Amino acid sequence: MLQTALHFSHTLLKESIAEGDTVVDATMGNGNDTVFLAELVGPNGIVYAFDVQEQALTNTTKKLTEAGLSDHVQLFHQGHETIETTLTKETTVAAAIFNLGYLPKSDKQIITTPNTTKQALEALLLRLKNKGRIILVVYYGHTGGEAELAFVQDYCQALPQESYSVLTYQFINQRNNPPILFCIEKK
Ligand code: SAM
């Protein structure tokens, strides 16, 4: 069966991450991706995870503790627009994941926005290693979602093909705006 965008995002991450790597979860939320990344990089790697909501940090801390993965994860109660000032310029990132939209079962007004997503992408592209990947899973059914999708589409399409390969993955015959995946791979 074809993988959902969410499932496919994990397949793409798995292929590009090795033990000991440094990776970023740009939208921690309930911590599902943070835990997945922490498992992939292992005890010698490091995961940096960002979210603007206290609830996200609480939920993610709980998941990491239960899985015994807290040691090599740094959670930041900060927007991903602070990646540039939080990660040193020398940091090399093997992969990063964004789940754009709002936190399920939470305040639907707190959403990711094109401006902060752009700042985060720029900071990550500067630090992405060769063959590294940035994956964006874009939920766009909510107010503001279409604008963010348009931004991501335009931004990705404008990346020079000499330096990056960019993939999109979406189901085009499904109801209820299933998420669309974008994957930027540095050549
Ligand atoms: N990946 C998450 C998971 O496994 O549960 C789901 C992420 S949810 C779709 C989007 C998250 O982005 C929300 O938790 C929201 O608080 C967060 N967010 C909104 N603006 C943000 C920003 N500027 N920086 C980082 N996270 C932000």
Side-chain angles (χ1 to χ4, degrees):
M1 218 166 87
L2 292 170
Q3 294 179 11
T4 62
L6 206 58
H7 188 180
F8 193 46
S9 72
H10 283 197
T11 301
L12 292 167
L13 286 171
K14 215 172 182 170
E15 286 174 1
S16 56
I17 296 172
E19 282 203 29
D21 277 343
T22 297
V23 297
V24 173
D25 185 353
T27 52
M28 187 190 317
N30 288 322
N32 298 307
D33 291 331
T34 313
V35 167
F36 184 70
L37 291 171
E39 285 167 346
L40 289 179
V41 300
N44 297 322
I46 180 147
V47 183
Y48 297 108
F50 295 80
D51 206 292
V52 291
Q53 294 195 65
E54 187 67 52
Q55 190 61 41
L57 278 90
T58 305
N59 294 353
T60 303
T61 301
K62 185 165 178 282
K63 275 207 177 84
L64 288 167
T65 308
E66 282 166 5
L69 291 166
S70 307
D71 285 356
H72 55 289
V73 181
Q74 288 190 31
L75 305 184
F76 295 95
H77 186 195
Q78 294 168 205
H80 45 225
E81 58 276 20
T82 65
I83 290 174
E84 179 58 41
T85 49
T86 305
L87 270 58
T88 65
K89 297 234 182 293
E90 294 71 38
T91 306
T92 305
V93 170
I97 175 95
F98 292 74
N99 271 228
L100 300 178
Y102 60 85
L103 185 62
K105 296 184 199 140
S106 171
D107 186 347
K108 291 189 179 158
Q109 309 295 322
I110 305 176
I111 55 170
T112 52
T113 60
N115 183 36
T116 55
T117 300
K118 181 167 188 258
Q119 290 177 56
L121 279 172
E122 273 166 6
L124 287 167
L125 286 175
L126 286 175
R127 293 166 175 80
L128 195 62
K129 73 174 194 186
N130 290 348
K131 310 282 179 226
R133 290 175 178 170
I134 299 175
I135 293 155
L136 302 108
V137 179
V138 185
Y139 294 82
Y140 63 98
H142 57 284
T143 307
E146 294 272 1
E148 185 151 54
L149 175 61
F151 158 72
V152 172
Q153 175 93 37
D154 291 350
Y155 187 89
C156 287
Q157 228 159 6
L159 289 170
Q161 75 169 52
E162 294 73 23
S163 308
Y164 302 100
S165 302
V166 189
L167 170 88
T168 95
Y169 178 87
Q170 72 177 119
F171 288 89
I172 56 174
N173 69 333
Q174 280 186 1
R175 284 183 282 275
N176 303 324
N177 308 312
I180 301 177
L181 177 148
F182 295 81
C183 176
I184 302 167
E185 184 180 74
K186 190 165 176 181
K187 287 190 172 172

Coordinates of all heavy atoms in Angstrom, one line a residue, residues 1 7 19 38 46 63 70 73 81 89 91 104 107 115 124 126 131 136 139-141 153 168-169 185:
M1 N 0.8 -1.2 0.0 CA 0.0 0.0 0.0 C 0.9 1.3 0.0 O 1.9 1.3 0.6 CB -0.9 0.0 1.3 CG -2.2 0.5 1.0 SD -3.3 0.1 2.4 CE -3.0 1.5 3.5
H7 N 4.0 8.7 7.1 CA 4.8 7.5 7.1 C 6.0 7.7 6.1 O 7.1 7.3 6.5 CB 3.9 6.3 6.6 CG 4.5 5.0 6.7 ND1 3.9 3.8 6.4 CD2 5.8 4.7 7.2 CE1 4.7 2.8 6.6 NE2 5.8 3.3 7.1
E19 N 23.6 6.7 13.0 CA 23.9 6.8 14.4 C 24.9 7.9 14.6 O 25.9 7.9 13.8 CB 24.4 5.5 15.0 CG 23.2 4.5 15.2 CD 23.6 3.5 16.3 OE1 24.4 3.8 17.2 OE2 23.0 2.4 16.2
A38 N 15.3 10.6 17.8 CA 16.2 10.2 18.9 C 16.6 8.7 18.8 O 17.7 8.3 19.1 CB 15.5 10.4 20.3
I46 N 22.6 13.7 18.4 CA 21.8 14.7 19.2 C 20.6 15.2 18.4 O 20.7 15.4 17.1 CB 22.8 15.9 19.6 CG1 22.0 17.0 20.3 CG2 23.5 16.6 18.4 CD1 22.8 17.7 21.4
K63 N 7.1 11.5 26.7 CA 7.4 10.4 25.7 C 8.8 10.0 25.7 O 9.2 8.8 25.7 CB 7.0 10.9 24.3 CG 5.6 10.7 23.9 CD 5.4 10.6 22.4 CE 4.0 10.4 22.0 NZ 3.2 11.6 21.9
S70 N 15.9 10.5 26.7 CA 16.0 12.0 27.0 C 17.5 12.5 26.9 O 17.7 13.7 26.6 CB 15.6 12.2 28.5 OG 14.3 11.7 28.6
V73 N 18.7 14.5 23.7 CA 17.7 15.4 23.1 C 17.7 16.7 23.8 O 17.6 16.7 25.0 CB 16.3 14.7 23.1 CG1 15.3 15.7 22.4 CG2 16.3 13.4 22.4
E81 N 12.3 29.8 14.4 CA 13.0 31.0 13.8 C 14.3 31.3 14.6 O 15.1 32.1 14.1 CB 12.1 32.2 13.7 CG 11.4 32.7 15.0 CD 10.2 31.9 15.4 OE1 10.0 30.8 14.9 OE2 9.4 32.4 16.2
K89 N 27.2 28.0 14.1 CA 27.4 28.0 12.7 C 28.1 26.8 12.2 O 28.0 26.3 11.1 CB 28.2 29.2 12.3 CG 27.6 30.6 12.6 CD 27.5 31.4 11.3 CE 26.9 32.8 11.6 NZ 25.5 32.8 12.0
T91 N 27.6 23.8 13.4 CA 26.8 22.6 13.5 C 26.4 22.0 12.1 O 26.0 22.8 11.2 CB 25.5 22.9 14.3 OG1 25.8 23.5 15.5 CG2 24.6 21.6 14.5
P104 N -2.6 19.0 17.1 CA -3.9 18.3 17.2 C -4.4 18.3 18.6 O -3.6 18.2 19.6 CB -3.6 16.9 16.7 CG -2.3 16.9 15.9 CD -1.5 18.1 16.5
D107 N -4.9 24.3 20.7 CA -5.4 25.6 20.2 C -5.1 25.8 18.7 O -3.9 25.9 18.3 CB -4.6 26.7 21.0 CG -5.1 28.1 20.7 OD1 -5.9 28.3 19.7 OD2 -4.8 29.1 21.4
N115 N 6.6 33.2 7.5 CA 7.8 34.0 7.8 C 8.8 33.3 8.7 O 10.0 33.2 8.5 CB 7.3 35.3 8.5 CG 8.5 36.2 8.8 OD1 9.4 36.3 8.1 ND2 8.4 36.9 10.0
L124 N 18.7 26.2 8.5 CA 18.9 24.8 8.3 C 19.7 24.5 7.0 O 20.6 23.7 7.0 CB 17.6 24.0 8.3 CG 17.0 23.9 9.7 CD1 15.6 23.3 9.7 CD2 17.9 23.0 10.6
L126 N 21.8 26.3 5.6 CA 23.2 26.7 5.8 C 24.0 25.6 6.5 O 25.2 25.5 6.4 CB 23.3 28.0 6.6 CG 23.0 29.3 5.9 CD1 23.0 30.4 7.0 CD2 24.0 29.6 4.8
K131 N 23.9 15.4 1.0 CA 23.0 14.3 1.0 C 22.0 14.4 2.2 O 21.2 13.4 2.5 CB 23.7 12.9 1.1 CG 24.8 12.7 0.0 CD 24.2 12.4 -1.3 CE 25.3 12.2 -2.4 NZ 25.0 12.9 -3.6
L136 N 9.3 18.6 4.9 CA 8.2 19.4 5.4 C 6.9 18.7 5.1 O 6.7 18.3 3.9 CB 8.2 20.8 4.7 CG 9.4 21.6 4.9 CD1 10.2 21.7 3.6 CD2 9.0 23.0 5.4
Y139 N 0.3 20.5 6.5 CA -1.2 20.4 6.7 C -1.7 21.8 6.4 O -1.2 22.8 6.8 CB -1.5 20.1 8.2 CG -1.0 18.7 8.6 CD1 0.3 18.5 9.0 CD2 -1.9 17.7 8.6 CE1 0.7 17.3 9.3 CE2 -1.5 16.4 9.0 CZ -0.1 16.2 9.3 OH 0.3 15.0 9.7
Y140 N -2.8 21.8 5.5 CA -3.2 23.2 5.0 C -4.7 23.4 5.0 O -5.2 24.3 4.4 CB -2.6 23.4 3.6 CG -3.2 22.4 2.6 CD1 -4.2 22.7 1.7 CD2 -2.6 21.1 2.5 CE1 -4.7 21.8 0.8 CE2 -3.1 20.2 1.6 CZ -4.2 20.5 0.8 OH -4.7 19.6 -0.1
G141 N -5.4 22.5 5.7 CA -6.9 22.6 5.7 C -7.4 23.7 6.6 O -8.6 24.1 6.6
Q153 N 5.7 25.8 -1.3 CA 5.8 25.4 -2.7 C 6.7 26.3 -3.5 O 7.7 25.9 -4.2 CB 4.4 25.4 -3.3 CG 4.3 25.1 -4.8 CD 4.0 23.7 -5.1 OE1 3.3 23.0 -4.4 NE2 4.7 23.2 -6.1
T168 N 8.1 16.4 -4.2 CA 6.8 16.6 -3.5 C 6.1 15.2 -3.6 O 6.2 14.5 -4.5 CB 5.9 17.7 -3.9 OG1 5.0 17.2 -4.8 CG2 6.7 18.9 -4.5
Y169 N 5.3 15.0 -2.6 CA 4.6 13.7 -2.5 C 3.2 14.0 -2.0 O 3.1 14.6 -0.9 CB 5.3 12.8 -1.5 CG 4.8 11.4 -1.3 CD1 5.1 10.3 -2.1 CD2 3.9 11.2 -0.2 CE1 4.6 9.1 -1.9 CE2 3.4 9.9 0.1 CZ 3.7 8.9 -0.8 OH 3.2 7.6 -0.5
E185 N 16.7 17.8 -0.7 CA 18.0 17.0 -0.4 C 19.2 17.8 -1.0 O 19.1 18.2 -2.2 CB 17.9 15.6 -1.1 CG 19.1 14.8 -0.8 CD 19.1 13.4 -1.5 OE1 19.2 13.4 -2.7 OE2 18.8 12.4 -0.8

